[in-house]
């Protein structure tokens, strides 16, 4: 059972890292949103598996929250926002796909080397989850840094938060009230971000953040 628990947990966490790398490769907004929904679906499966092997029923609530809010509600809402705002479907990148993918693979390697060393005395299952979780967090940051479209930066922020949830569930001990408060904080942040997207679109007729630089006179 211990070997099976380790293998399944390892596969699901590794799947999250792989899907994070897929996000870096996407150059269409709708495909990026679909990949993000898949990311949240795999996260909910990973959390549900942790609930099973840790015998922690409250983690099932976290898995349901991830499934309902992140895999369904937020992607559907972002699809509607993109449609209503008439946003350009192609994603403009600050860096090319090739260098971005190389940077992503470098961050994954750095996360594994760093986290496996500093947690050498911890449970092997927790070590693997923490290493993969740090990879997901760093890849989410990379999406935010390398994309100019505000919607794709929102997706990067949400995928970053998925990595934090993976770390919290793998490390054990996070109270249910904290999980629920984090989930609602993310939902409120999403609502605020959505309002800002509409405001930016009204003001600049675009959600490309480079338009803000042009407005401030920082780009010529």
């Amino acid at each position: 059972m211990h070997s099976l628990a380790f293998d399944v947990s390892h596969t699901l966490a590794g799947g999250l890292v792989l899907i994070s790398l897929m996000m870096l490769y996407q150059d269409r907004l709708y495909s990026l949103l679909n990949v993000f929904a898949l990311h949240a679906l795999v996260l909910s499966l990973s959390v549900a598996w942790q609930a099973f092997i840790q015998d922690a029923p409250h983690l099932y609530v976290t898995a349901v929250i991830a499934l309902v809010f992140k895999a369904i509600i937020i992607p559907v809402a972002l699809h509607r926002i993109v449609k209503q705002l008439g946003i350009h479907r192609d994603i403009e990148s600050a860096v090319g796909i090739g260098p971005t993918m190389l940077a992503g693979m470098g961050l994954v390697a750095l996360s594994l080397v760093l986290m496996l060393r500093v947690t050498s005395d911890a449970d092997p299952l927790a070590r693997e989850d923490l290493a993969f979780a740090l990879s997901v967090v760093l890849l989410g940051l990379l999406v935010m840094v390398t994309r100019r479209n505000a919607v794709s930066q929102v997706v990067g922020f949400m995928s970053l938060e998925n990595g934090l949830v993976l770390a919290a569930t793998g490390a054990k001990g996070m109270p249910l009230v904290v999980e629920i408060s984090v989930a609602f904080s993310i939902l409120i942040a999403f609502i605020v971000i959505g309002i800002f997207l509409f405001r930016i679109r009204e003001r600049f007729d675009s959600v490309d953040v480079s338009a803000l630089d042009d407005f401030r006179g920082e780009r010529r």
Side-chain angles (χ1 to χ4, degrees), residues 76-113:
V76 170
L78 285 174
H79 270 279
R80 292 189 174 183
I81 287 174
V82 170
K83 186 177 181 180
Q84 289 181 7
L85 293 181
I87 298 172
H88 191 54
R89 269 58 169 179
D90 293 332
I91 302 173
E92 292 190 16
S93 301
V95 184
I97 293 297
T100 302
M101 294 299 293
L102 288 175
M105 289 186 281
L107 289 175
V108 173
L110 176 65
S111 303
L112 293 176
V113 171

Side-chain angles (χ1 to χ4, degrees), residues 3-64:
S3 177
L4 177 63
F6 183 88
D7 290 343
V8 174
S9 178
H10 191 276
T11 300
L12 291 171
L16 275 176
V17 176
L18 177 62
I19 298 171
S20 293
L21 288 170
M22 288 170 60
M23 287 186 191
L24 292 174
Y25 185 76
Q26 303 305 314
D27 58 358
R28 294 296 184 94
L29 207 46
Y30 281 151
S31 59
L32 178 64
L33 296 178
N34 293 335
V35 172
F36 171 69
L38 178 62
H39 196 267
L41 175 62
V42 175
L43 174 69
S44 65
L45 292 175
S46 178
V47 174
W49 180 250
Q50 289 291 337
F52 174 70
I53 62 177
Q54 295 179 24
D55 192 22
H58 66 281
L59 288 181
Y60 286 114
V61 178
T62 304
V64 171

Side-chain angles (χ1 to χ4, degrees), residues 161-172:
E161 195 270 342
N162 285 350
L164 296 179
V165 171
L166 179 66
T169 54
K172 304 179 184 179

Side-chain angles (χ1 to χ4, degrees), residues 158-179:
M158 295 290 172
S159 66
L160 181 156
E161 195 270 342
N162 285 350
L164 296 179
V165 171
L166 179 66
T169 54
K172 304 179 184 179
M174 186 170 69
L176 177 61
V177 65
V178 175
E179 297 170 29

